Amino acid sequence: MIESSDFRVARIPLSNGAGHMPALGFGTLIPDAAATISATRDALEAGFRHFDCAERYRNEREVGEALQAGLAAGGIAREDIFVTTKLWNSNHRPERVEPAFEASLDRLGLKYLDLYLIHTPFAFQPGDEQDPRDQNGNVLYDRGVTLLDTWRAMESLVDHGRCRAIGLSDITLNGLVPIYESAKIKPAVVQVEAHPYLPETELLEFCKEKGIVLLAFAPLGHGIRPGPLEDPVISAIAARVGKTPAQVLLAWAVQRGTALLTTPKTAARARENLNISALPEDAFDEINRIQTRQRFNEVVKTGSPGFIPQGS
């Protein structure tokens, strides 16, 4: 499924003839506006060509500014980069989908998107408040819309030609199957937390069988310690193959057939995250045998993403 043995430039074909996604992606969940601009430009300069954004991150404008400047400075064409953004939970009502999409496109300064994802399968109360809560601090959900209703509106974006592919994020296999079975335009990508402590093996097998790209976020375990970065198996392999633990984890992710997202904040870290290559088969198998199981982001249970401050 991965095209190229050189992981740095590996690309994965998308279903529906929607082009190719670079396996190595840059995630833009960065709270600070100035840091968003500098990190995005550094990532582009280092060689990243896949950029993952979201309405909820509140920095699409800064990402767009950095991409436009970087493309112009580096002589890179828009067609050479792959840009994703996501529909937030408060815009699940079908009539809100297209306006939300157009607003994201405008903030990014782009004429089309390569991929648009439903950020989570949970619908929040519709409106401008991204984190609607009652007086007790409980999320206000929207029971008047189904995920399939939202998906139908997503399909119409592809039909209109301004979005090349659509998919889902933060969804379980049980949530994905009914959408896949009912969809006119099948999900091209599913973005979920995945790393050796949360390999999502069953979901990955389903995605491979159906031609869906599994896009792993937090492939380094969100950098939380203790976590995969400090796992003794990963550390030993890193020492053996002359790579950093991060490079080993990223190589494992690509080698098993997933795309991935990292968020290097410096130019040096961006270059490190791109400088990965295939692991020896015995090392790959050792990682697959790790028994620790841990999810770092509970968003799949509530729709409220960890690592984004509430009310921000």
Side-chain angles (χ1 to χ4, degrees):
M1 199 173 178
I2 300 278
E3 295 186 355
S4 176
S5 57
D6 184 346
F7 286 3
R8 293 169 297 181
V9 296
R11 289 148 58 88
I12 308 176
L14 299 179
S15 59
N16 306 317
H20 293 73
M21 168 189 279
L24 300 181
F26 177 77
T28 62
L29 176 49
I30 303 170
D32 179 75
T36 297
I37 293 171
S38 62
T40 303
R41 286 194 66 171
D42 285 344
L44 186 66
E45 194 171 314
F48 279 94
R49 294 295 180 263
H50 169 187
F51 295 86
D52 180 87
C53 316
E55 173 189 352
R56 182 67 177 100
Y57 302 164
R58 297 181 181 270
N59 63 356
E60 288 171 312
R61 205 172 294 283
E62 287 79 9
V63 173
E65 180 184 322
L67 289 177
Q68 303 299 339
L71 293 179
I76 303 164
R78 165 66 182 94
E79 293 71 33
D80 294 333
I81 63 169
F82 187 100
V83 183
T84 303
T85 198
K86 308 181 194 81
L87 176 83
W88 182 238
N89 302 353
S90 52
N91 289 320
H92 275 217
R93 294 259 170 165
E95 67 274 13
R96 296 181 68 87
V97 171
E98 187 172 0
F101 171 81
E102 294 291 347
S104 282
L105 210 55
D106 180 64
R107 287 189 291 267
L108 287 163
L110 300 174
K111 292 185 170 61
Y112 69 90
L113 272 180
D114 298 279
L115 175 66
Y116 197 44
L117 301 176
I118 298 178
H119 201 142
T120 89
F122 295 86
F124 287 1
Q125 176 179 279
D128 294 333
E129 174 53 57
Q130 288 190 344
D131 191 37
R133 306 244 166 189
D134 65 17
Q135 62 270 27
N136 299 316
N138 300 310
V139 171
L140 293 168
Y141 292 99
D142 182 2
R143 308 297 180 189
V145 60
T146 68
L147 188 58
L148 186 58
D149 294 334
T150 309
W151 187 258
R152 295 279 183 243
M154 297 281 285
E155 291 176 328
S156 72
L157 297 175
V158 180
D159 290 337
H160 296 157
R162 308 209 38 215
C163 179
R164 295 188 169 172
I166 50 178
L168 299 133
S169 175
D170 298 313
I171 195 159
T172 63
L173 180 56
N174 287 342
L176 172 61
V177 170
I179 294 296
Y180 180 86
E181 290 176 346
S182 302
K184 174 172 66 78
I185 298 174
K186 304 299 184 186
V189 175
V190 169
Q191 182 182 134
V192 294
E193 178 182 345
H195 41 72
Y197 287 6
L198 188 68
E200 290 285 11
T201 307
E202 197 179 353
L203 178 60
L204 178 57
E205 286 172 359
F206 178 85
C207 287
K208 285 182 173 179
E209 180 188 321
K210 303 298 185 185
I212 301 169
V213 177
L214 193 149
L215 174 58
F217 75 80
L220 307 179
H222 272 300
I224 290 172
R225 298 170 188 274
L229 279 168
E230 292 178 331
D231 188 275
V233 171
I234 302 299
S235 300
I237 291 170
R240 200 160 78 230
V241 301
K243 293 285 188 179
T244 66
Q247 289 170 327
V248 168
L249 288 164
L250 300 182
W252 173 82
V254 176
Q255 205 157 331
R256 69 198 294 254
T258 71
L260 62 87
L261 299 170
T262 62
T263 306
K265 305 290 200 312
T266 66
R269 189 72 73 191
R271 289 191 295 271
E272 176 191 334
N273 287 2
L274 277 171
N275 184 23
I276 63 172
S277 52
L279 299 168
E281 278 303 317
D282 62 335
F284 181 73
D285 293 341
E286 277 181 66
I287 297 172
N288 290 335
R289 289 195 295 271
I290 289 174
Q291 294 298 307
T292 305
R293 290 292 172 262
Q294 185 173 2
R295 181 185 295 280
F296 294 100
N297 192 326
E298 296 296 325
V299 61
V300 295
K301 298 180 180 177
T302 64
S304 292
F307 310 102
I308 300 178
Q310 289 180 10
S312 68

